[in-house]
Amino acid sequence: MVRFRFRRVLGTVAAAITVASMGAVLNAQPAAAADPGPQRVVGGSTATQGEFPFMVRLSMGCGGALYSPNLVLTAAHCVGSTGTNTSITATLGVVDLNSTSKITRKSNYVYRAPGYTGAGKDWALIRLASPVTTLATLPIATTSTYDTGTFTIAGWGAATEGGAQQRYLRKATVPFVSDTTCNSSAMYGGEVIATDEICAGYTAGGVDTCQGDSGGPMFRRDSANAWIQVGIVSWGDGCARPNKPGVYSQVSYFSANIRSAATSLGG
Protein backbone atom coordinates (compact mmCIF):
# COMPACT_ATOMS: atom_id res chain seq x y z
CA MET A 1 0.00 0.00 0.00
CA VAL A 2 1.43 3.37 -1.01
CA ARG A 3 2.14 5.76 1.87
CA PHE A 4 0.53 8.84 0.34
CA ARG A 5 -0.88 9.26 3.84
CA PHE A 6 1.77 11.55 5.24
CA ARG A 7 0.00 14.38 6.98
CA ARG A 8 1.76 17.17 5.16
CA VAL A 9 0.03 19.63 2.87
CA LEU A 10 1.34 18.68 -0.55
CA GLY A 11 1.91 20.38 -3.89
CA THR A 12 0.19 23.60 -4.82
CA VAL A 13 -1.79 23.69 -1.60
CA ALA A 14 1.42 23.93 0.40
CA ALA A 15 2.69 26.69 -1.82
CA ALA A 16 -0.47 28.65 -1.16
CA ILE A 17 -0.20 28.43 2.62
CA THR A 18 2.62 30.72 3.71
CA VAL A 19 2.97 32.51 6.98
CA ALA A 20 3.71 35.74 5.20
CA SER A 21 0.36 35.67 3.41
CA MET A 22 -2.19 33.24 4.82
CA GLY A 23 -4.64 33.80 1.97
CA ALA A 24 -8.21 32.63 1.69
CA VAL A 25 -7.49 29.13 2.93
CA LEU A 26 -6.82 30.43 6.45
CA ASN A 27 -9.37 33.22 6.51
CA ALA A 28 -12.22 30.98 7.63
CA GLN A 29 -13.62 31.68 11.09
CA PRO A 30 -13.03 29.07 13.81
CA ALA A 31 -15.47 26.17 13.81
CA ALA A 32 -18.62 26.76 15.81
CA ALA A 33 -18.85 25.18 19.23
CA ALA A 34 -21.84 23.17 18.06
CA ASP A 35 -19.98 21.59 15.13
CA PRO A 36 -22.00 18.62 13.83
CA GLY A 37 -20.39 15.21 13.88
CA PRO A 38 -17.68 13.79 16.13
CA GLN A 39 -14.91 15.82 17.73
CA ARG A 40 -12.00 16.07 15.33
CA VAL A 41 -8.02 18.40 14.83
CA VAL A 42 -10.12 16.64 12.55
CA GLY A 43 -12.42 18.17 15.16
CA GLY A 44 -11.43 19.03 18.64
CA SER A 45 -11.80 22.58 19.77
CA THR A 46 -9.95 25.85 19.33
CA ALA A 47 -6.96 26.22 21.65
CA THR A 48 -6.73 29.28 23.87
CA GLN A 49 -3.97 31.82 23.46
CA GLY A 50 -0.89 30.72 25.40
CA GLU A 51 -2.21 27.22 26.09
CA PHE A 52 0.51 25.51 24.04
CA PRO A 53 3.26 28.13 23.67
CA PHE A 54 5.66 25.65 22.06
CA MET A 55 3.49 25.06 18.97
CA VAL A 56 5.02 26.08 15.64
CA ARG A 57 3.49 26.49 12.19
CA LEU A 58 5.88 25.97 9.26
CA SER A 59 5.46 27.61 5.88
CA MET A 60 5.64 24.35 3.88
CA GLY A 61 2.32 23.32 5.45
CA CYS A 62 3.55 21.38 8.49
CA GLY A 63 3.61 21.77 12.25
CA GLY A 64 6.41 21.50 14.77
CA ALA A 65 7.36 22.06 18.39
CA LEU A 66 9.92 24.47 19.82
CA TYR A 67 12.61 22.09 21.08
CA SER A 68 14.96 24.87 22.18
CA PRO A 69 15.02 28.64 21.59
CA ASN A 70 16.61 28.11 18.17
CA LEU A 71 15.43 24.63 17.11
CA VAL A 72 12.08 23.26 15.92
CA LEU A 73 11.41 19.51 16.03
CA THR A 74 9.28 18.34 13.11
CA ALA A 75 8.87 15.38 10.72
CA ALA A 76 11.51 14.28 8.21
CA HIS A 77 8.90 14.09 5.46
CA CYS A 78 8.26 17.82 5.90
CA VAL A 79 11.78 18.85 4.89
CA GLY A 80 14.40 18.17 2.26
CA SER A 81 17.90 16.88 2.84
CA THR A 82 20.26 17.91 5.61
CA GLY A 83 22.01 21.21 4.92
CA THR A 84 21.67 24.96 4.67
CA ASN A 85 18.06 26.02 4.17
CA THR A 86 16.80 29.59 4.39
CA SER A 87 13.42 28.99 2.73
CA ILE A 88 11.29 28.01 5.73
CA THR A 89 9.35 30.50 7.82
CA ALA A 90 8.24 29.50 11.32
CA THR A 91 5.30 31.21 13.00
CA LEU A 92 5.14 31.01 16.79
CA GLY A 93 3.43 32.44 19.85
CA VAL A 94 -0.14 32.65 18.55
CA VAL A 95 -3.30 30.61 18.10
CA ASP A 96 -4.50 32.85 15.25
CA LEU A 97 -2.02 32.74 12.37
CA ASN A 98 -3.25 36.15 11.23
CA SER A 99 -2.55 37.76 14.60
CA THR A 100 -0.38 40.87 14.54
CA SER A 101 1.41 39.59 17.65
CA LYS A 102 2.78 36.49 15.94
CA ILE A 103 6.50 35.79 16.07
CA THR A 104 8.20 34.74 12.83
CA ARG A 105 11.65 33.36 12.17
CA LYS A 106 13.42 32.19 9.03
CA SER A 107 15.32 28.92 8.99
CA ASN A 108 19.04 28.72 8.32
CA TYR A 109 19.65 24.95 8.50
CA VAL A 110 17.75 21.65 8.33
CA TYR A 111 18.85 18.36 9.85
CA ARG A 112 16.88 15.36 8.59
CA ALA A 113 17.15 11.99 10.35
CA PRO A 114 20.02 10.01 8.79
CA GLY A 115 18.79 7.07 6.75
CA TYR A 116 15.26 8.43 6.30
CA THR A 117 13.67 6.80 3.25
CA GLY A 118 9.96 7.42 3.80
CA ALA A 119 9.22 4.68 6.31
CA GLY A 120 10.20 5.24 9.94
CA LYS A 121 12.88 7.64 11.21
CA ASP A 122 10.40 10.44 10.57
CA TRP A 123 11.99 13.28 12.52
CA ALA A 124 13.97 16.41 11.69
CA LEU A 125 15.28 19.59 13.29
CA ILE A 126 15.02 23.06 11.80
CA ARG A 127 17.43 25.67 13.09
CA LEU A 128 16.08 29.20 13.29
CA ALA A 129 18.12 32.18 12.15
CA SER A 130 17.67 33.79 15.57
CA PRO A 131 16.41 32.34 18.85
CA VAL A 132 12.94 32.74 20.33
CA THR A 133 13.50 33.37 24.03
CA THR A 134 10.02 34.44 25.11
CA LEU A 135 8.22 31.11 24.65
CA ALA A 136 8.31 27.84 26.57
CA THR A 137 9.96 24.90 24.84
CA LEU A 138 8.63 21.32 24.79
CA PRO A 139 10.93 18.69 26.36
CA ILE A 140 11.05 15.30 24.69
CA ALA A 141 10.47 11.94 26.37
CA THR A 142 13.76 10.08 26.85
CA THR A 143 12.24 6.81 28.08
CA SER A 144 9.09 4.89 27.16
CA THR A 145 7.52 5.70 30.55
CA TYR A 146 5.08 8.16 29.01
CA ASP A 147 4.37 6.24 25.79
CA THR A 148 0.92 5.20 26.98
CA GLY A 149 -2.23 6.75 28.39
CA THR A 150 -4.05 9.72 26.87
CA PHE A 151 -2.28 12.21 24.63
CA THR A 152 -2.97 15.73 23.41
CA ILE A 153 -2.69 16.58 19.72
CA ALA A 154 -2.77 20.08 18.26
CA GLY A 155 -2.29 21.74 14.89
CA TRP A 156 -3.52 24.01 12.15
CA GLY A 157 -4.25 21.14 9.77
CA ALA A 158 -7.52 20.19 8.12
CA ALA A 159 -10.55 19.77 10.40
CA THR A 160 -12.06 17.22 8.01
CA GLU A 161 -10.41 14.76 5.63
CA GLY A 162 -9.64 16.66 2.43
CA GLY A 163 -10.64 19.95 4.06
CA ALA A 164 -8.95 23.34 4.22
CA GLN A 165 -6.17 24.30 6.59
CA GLN A 166 -7.16 26.17 9.72
CA ARG A 167 -6.42 29.75 10.71
CA TYR A 168 -6.84 28.92 14.40
CA LEU A 169 -4.93 26.26 16.33
CA ARG A 170 -7.10 23.29 17.26
CA LYS A 171 -6.60 20.62 19.90
CA ALA A 172 -8.00 17.20 20.87
CA THR A 173 -7.13 14.19 22.99
CA VAL A 174 -6.53 10.64 21.79
CA PRO A 175 -5.79 7.36 23.61
CA PHE A 176 -2.77 5.12 23.12
CA VAL A 177 -3.24 2.13 20.82
CA SER A 178 -0.87 -0.80 21.37
CA ASP A 179 1.48 -1.95 18.61
CA THR A 180 -0.28 -5.31 18.51
CA THR A 181 -3.69 -3.74 18.04
CA CYS A 182 -2.46 -1.13 15.57
CA ASN A 183 -0.74 -3.78 13.46
CA SER A 184 -3.73 -6.13 13.51
CA SER A 185 -5.52 -7.04 10.29
CA ALA A 186 -8.41 -4.80 11.37
CA MET A 187 -6.12 -1.74 11.41
CA TYR A 188 -2.78 -1.47 9.58
CA GLY A 189 -1.96 -5.13 8.96
CA GLY A 190 1.69 -4.97 9.96
CA GLU A 191 2.56 -1.64 8.30
CA VAL A 192 3.43 0.13 11.55
CA ILE A 193 7.10 -0.06 12.53
CA ALA A 194 6.64 -1.19 16.12
CA THR A 195 10.14 -0.25 17.27
CA ASP A 196 9.89 3.45 16.43
CA GLU A 197 6.25 4.34 15.73
CA ILE A 198 3.38 4.79 18.17
CA CYS A 199 -0.36 4.78 17.42
CA ALA A 200 -3.10 6.84 19.03
CA GLY A 201 -6.78 7.21 18.28
CA TYR A 202 -10.23 5.70 18.71
CA THR A 203 -11.46 2.45 17.19
CA ALA A 204 -14.59 4.29 16.15
CA GLY A 205 -12.55 7.10 14.59
CA GLY A 206 -13.74 10.68 14.79
CA VAL A 207 -10.69 12.25 16.48
CA ASP A 208 -7.34 12.51 14.73
CA THR A 209 -4.62 14.64 13.21
CA CYS A 210 -4.98 15.32 9.50
CA GLN A 211 -3.24 16.81 6.46
CA GLY A 212 -1.30 19.89 7.54
CA ASP A 213 -0.63 18.56 11.04
CA SER A 214 2.51 16.64 9.98
CA GLY A 215 5.51 17.28 12.17
CA GLY A 216 3.45 18.61 15.05
CA PRO A 217 3.82 17.16 18.52
CA MET A 218 1.75 14.59 20.38
CA PHE A 219 2.26 15.26 24.07
CA ARG A 220 1.03 14.55 27.60
CA ARG A 221 1.71 15.48 31.21
CA ASP A 222 4.73 13.97 32.95
CA SER A 223 5.07 13.07 36.65
CA ALA A 224 5.60 16.75 37.50
CA ASN A 225 2.48 17.73 35.52
CA ALA A 226 4.60 19.39 32.82
CA TRP A 227 4.07 18.84 29.10
CA ILE A 228 6.38 16.29 27.47
CA GLN A 229 6.50 15.27 23.81
CA VAL A 230 5.98 11.58 23.05
CA GLY A 231 5.22 11.65 19.32
CA ILE A 232 5.60 13.49 16.02
CA VAL A 233 2.65 13.48 13.61
CA SER A 234 3.69 11.16 10.78
CA TRP A 235 1.00 9.29 8.82
CA GLY A 236 -2.33 7.49 8.72
CA ASP A 237 -4.99 6.25 6.31
CA GLY A 238 -7.16 9.29 5.71
CA CYS A 239 -8.18 11.23 8.80
CA ALA A 240 -10.24 10.01 11.76
CA ARG A 241 -11.48 6.90 9.95
CA PRO A 242 -12.68 3.93 12.03
CA ASN A 243 -9.87 1.45 12.77
CA LYS A 244 -7.27 3.86 11.34
CA PRO A 245 -5.60 5.65 14.27
CA GLY A 246 -2.88 8.22 13.73
CA VAL A 247 0.68 6.94 13.51
CA TYR A 248 3.41 9.01 15.18
CA SER A 249 7.19 8.84 15.36
CA GLN A 250 8.02 7.50 18.82
CA VAL A 251 10.16 10.27 20.26
CA SER A 252 11.58 8.23 23.13
CA TYR A 253 13.11 5.76 20.65
CA PHE A 254 14.95 8.57 18.85
CA SER A 255 15.65 10.78 21.86
CA ALA A 256 19.41 10.15 22.00
CA ASN A 257 19.73 10.87 18.27
CA ILE A 258 17.60 13.99 18.53
CA ARG A 259 19.59 15.33 21.47
CA SER A 260 22.90 14.59 19.74
CA ALA A 261 21.77 16.35 16.56
CA ALA A 262 20.47 19.30 18.58
CA THR A 263 23.82 19.66 20.32
CA SER A 264 25.63 19.65 16.99
CA LEU A 265 23.32 22.44 15.80
CA GLY A 266 23.98 24.57 18.85
CA GLY A 267 20.65 23.84 20.48
Side-chain angles (χ1 to χ4, degrees):
M1 188 179 297
V2 178
R3 280 194 179 199
F4 92 95
R5 302 157 294 182
F6 287 130
R7 294 182 168 182
R8 174 182 175 180
V9 184
L10 299 174
T12 56
V13 177
I17 302 174
T18 66
V19 267
S21 177
M22 302 319 301
V25 173
L26 294 176
N27 282 332
Q29 293 301 307
D35 241 345
Q39 185 183 37
R40 308 179 298 279
V41 195
V42 175
S45 58
T46 304
T48 59
Q49 180 60 37
E51 188 173 7
F52 308 123
F54 43 77
M55 290 296 301
V56 181
R57 178 67 173 173
L58 299 168
S59 55
M60 78 287 281
C62 281
L66 195 62
Y67 172 89
S68 72
N70 67 329
L71 293 175
V72 175
L73 181 61
T74 187
H77 75 265
C78 288
V79 302
S81 59
T82 295
T84 300
N85 186 319
T86 59
S87 67
I88 301 167
T89 302
T91 298
L92 312 93
V94 292
V95 165
D96 177 3
L97 293 176
N98 283 356
S99 171
T100 57
S101 62
K102 66 188 177 185
I103 298 168
T104 60
R105 292 288 190 275
K106 298 295 289 187
S107 63
N108 65 16
Y109 197 87
V110 163
Y111 183 98
R112 190 168 73 170
Y116 172 74
T117 60
K121 300 179 180 178
D122 196 9
W123 65 271
L125 288 165
I126 297 171
R127 190 172 65 194
L128 304 177
S130 61
V132 178
T133 59
T134 57
L135 298 175
T137 58
L138 181 61
I140 61 171
T142 57
T143 72
S144 60
T145 301
Y146 300 111
D147 293 347
T148 188
T150 300
F151 309 119
T152 297
I153 50 176
W156 290 270
T160 57
E161 185 174 329
Q165 301 303 287
Q166 300 297 297
R167 170 178 167 178
Y168 297 87
L169 180 67
R170 295 179 69 80
K171 63 178 181 177
T173 57
V174 286
F176 170 73
V177 177
S178 71
D179 292 337
T180 300
T181 300
C182 204
N183 261 332
S184 68
S185 58
M187 290 192 176
Y188 287 115
E191 290 186 274
V192 176
I193 303 170
T195 54
D196 61 76
E197 293 180 327
I198 183 172
C199 299
Y202 294 92
T203 302
V207 182
D208 200 4
T209 48
C210 199
Q211 272 64 52
D213 291 322
S214 275
M218 180 171 73
F219 47 101
R220 54 159 290 175
R221 297 289 187 177
D222 66 11
S223 59
N225 201 37
W227 291 120
I228 190 167
Q229 183 171 357
V230 298
I232 300 169
V233 179
S234 185
W235 63 277
D237 274 351
C239 304
R241 297 179 186 179
N243 291 310
K244 297 297 180 183
V247 184
Y248 302 78
S249 291
Q250 193 164 351
V251 168
S252 63
Y253 182 83
F254 296 110
S255 61
N257 303 93
I258 293 170
R259 288 188 295 173
S260 176
T263 299
S264 74
L265 295 172

